[in-house]
Amino acid sequence: MSLGLTTAGESHGPALVAIVTGLPAGLEIDRAAVDDDLRRRQQGYGRSPRQKLETDTVDVLSGLRHGRTLGTPLTLVVWNKDHANWPWGMSPWPPEGEPSGKGVKKVTLPRPGHADLAGILKYGHDDVRNALERASARHTAAHVAAGAVAKALLARIGVRVEARAVEIGGETTDAGMKAITDEARKAKDTLGGVVEVVATGAPPGLGSYAERSDRLDGRLAATLMAIQAVKGVEVGDGFDLARRRGIEAHDEIEPGLRRRTNRAGGLEAGMTNGEPVVLRAAMKPLPTLMKPLDSVDLATGEAAQALVERSDVQAVEALAVIVEAAVAWELARAAREKFGGDAIDDLVAAHAAYIERIAPLWQPPA
Ligand code: EPS
């Protein structure tokens, strides 16, 4: 038994959709909790004016009755309010009448760092919009909605996931992060940063060493790496471990099976080891610049400047919410694989039985 996730939706299309399969029946989903994560994803200093147009909330089309899962595919929808401004440009069907609204003109100026160039070459488009609409980080809203469902499942076995921006444009204090964002906005530039995520309460043994594809560290790294603009992922002390001696690289074991340190970030040999799971994700500066970089006009083949569109100065705080959702999703998937169950109570009982089995050796942290 595993969880499955399919998302769909363009940035300025009618809606974003997430279809979640493999959920146990009877899991209570709090609509306010899902909406709260969607709202948190829209916050943060340095977001684009787009966020004033959208107030993301979740609608459910299937899989839920009276707030509890039915054990059937759960369809989550987040509507794009901005779609109303793109009636012709983003019409799913051949548009009728005179072109009007946004997205009418073909985009032929690819932005370095975005999906634009490889996207049109790969799919044979003649309008960069056909690539950028789906590549846009807007669709992380669907992942955040699915992540909120994963968090509800994890809460039933005492697992909690929290992430925060620890660095923006090289600054590590709140005041510094704010000042550098203002400075970048004035300079018509963008910034990246670093997010740290910590998951507590995971028992030892989620994931497996049996096959490379089972390894939870690999699964977590892959999901974080696949988020828009992420260019690096660290588990625990990560790259710093490469510079240490073995004596200073591992986490010594004490009676009760507690660790003195958590350099491994709670993951050894592709499994949770009972300590907090800690990862960091590095985000590159966003590629839509108000002062554009050099590019080529694909209509003429001549040198030109890249597309200028409204965008965020930085979205590192939003990334924190997206990372939280992605890690919750992978942990819930691993918990689902280990504990199974058609009903959520079966899963909770299997978790309790496992904790009892290992209790003579391992006790959960107080
Ligand atoms: C994005 C470009 C901007 C961001 C968008 C991601 O969109 P727009 O062109 O509509 O202003 O605001 O992010 C969101 C809309 C969102 O909800 O996170 C991009 O190119 O990736």
Side-chain angles (χ1 to χ4, degrees):
M1 178 56 73
S2 190
L3 289 179
L5 175 61
T6 301
T7 66
E10 279 70 43
S11 181
H12 306 97
L16 305 160
V17 176
I19 300 181
V20 180
T21 56
L23 285 169
L27 175 65
E28 195 175 334
I29 307 296
D30 178 4
R31 187 177 197 170
V34 182
D35 286 348
D36 195 45
D37 275 357
L38 289 171
R39 186 190 53 74
R40 287 172 59 226
R41 194 198 69 88
Q42 293 194 272
Q43 312 285 296
Y45 203 64
R47 295 307 310 272
S48 121
R50 172 78 186 273
Q51 298 311 325
K52 295 201 174 69
L53 300 174
E54 305 290 350
T55 31
D56 293 342
T57 53
V58 73
D59 268 339
V60 171
L61 299 188
S62 75
L64 200 68
R65 182 159 186 251
H66 301 171
R68 285 183 191 274
T69 55
L70 294 170
T72 56
L74 175 72
T75 306
L76 306 166
V77 181
V78 178
W79 302 100
N80 288 324
K81 293 209 174 71
D82 196 22
H83 179 61
N85 301 316
W86 304 65
W88 196 96
M90 286 304 292
S91 168
W93 298 107
E96 287 170 7
E98 285 305 301
S100 66
K102 303 190 75 174
V104 165
K105 228 179 115 217
K106 261 187 202 164
V107 181
T108 58
L109 303 168
R111 292 160 293 175
H114 216 290
D116 304 355
L117 183 55
I120 61 144
L121 294 174
K122 176 177 169 66
Y123 291 102
H125 299 310
D126 64 353
D127 183 349
V128 167
R129 179 153 305 285
N130 287 339
L132 71 84
E133 280 290 330
R134 177 63 183 162
S136 163
R138 171 76 187 147
H139 100 241
T140 58
H143 285 271
V144 165
V149 172
K151 284 183 190 172
L153 187 148
L154 291 173
R156 295 297 309 272
I157 56 167
V159 179
R160 211 182 141 79
V161 187
E162 276 177 62
R164 65 195 176 95
V166 291
E167 209 177 298
I168 296 176
E171 298 287 332
T172 55
T173 63
D174 285 354
M177 292 174 183
K178 196 163 177 277
I180 195 117
T181 303
D182 288 336
E183 208 179 285
R185 182 185 289 109
K186 262 189 227 128
K188 297 180 184 295
D189 216 336
T190 60
L191 299 170
V194 179
V195 162
E196 183 172 277
V197 60
V198 180
T200 53
L206 296 184
S208 172
Y209 50 77
E211 194 54 76
R212 196 182 272 183
S213 56
D214 299 332
R215 290 188 173 239
L216 189 58
D217 48 0
R219 284 160 53 164
L220 288 164
T223 193
L224 295 189
M225 204 69 194
I227 297 170
Q228 284 83 344
V230 169
K231 279 293 193 188
V233 175
E234 270 191 330
V235 180
D237 286 359
F239 275 68
D240 202 37
L241 288 172
R243 299 173 201 115
R244 287 189 215 155
R245 301 288 173 100
I247 291 169
E248 283 158 3
H250 299 284
D251 303 307
E252 289 181 289
I253 305 170
E254 294 178 338
L257 307 190
R258 291 268 73 75
R259 304 302 181 101
R260 289 202 184 112
T261 51
N262 188 19
R263 294 155 174 162
L267 289 157
E268 289 172 313
M271 296 171 294
T272 50
N273 65 6
E275 299 300 311
V277 173
V278 183
L279 293 104
R280 273 176 298 281
M283 185 184 211
K284 69 182 178 182
L286 301 169
T288 309
L289 292 161
M290 292 300 125
K291 207 180 340 175
L293 299 173
D294 284 350
S295 184
V296 166
D297 189 335
L298 298 168
T300 63
E302 300 294 323
Q305 303 252 275
L307 174 69
V308 177
E309 272 202 286
R310 81 181 164 204
S311 188
D312 311 274
V313 177
Q314 55 90 4
V316 188
E317 287 129 314
L319 177 68
V321 183
I322 297 156
V323 161
E324 213 174 88
V327 167
W329 177 263
E330 275 312 316
L331 289 177
R333 199 154 77 90
R336 192 85 188 98
E337 285 161 13
K338 180 147 176 56
F339 302 120
D342 290 317
I344 185 65
D345 289 349
D346 300 344
L347 185 147
V348 170
H351 172 265
Y354 172 64
I355 297 297
E356 197 182 321
R357 170 165 78 68
I358 64 176
L361 290 171
W362 185 84
Q363 292 91 41

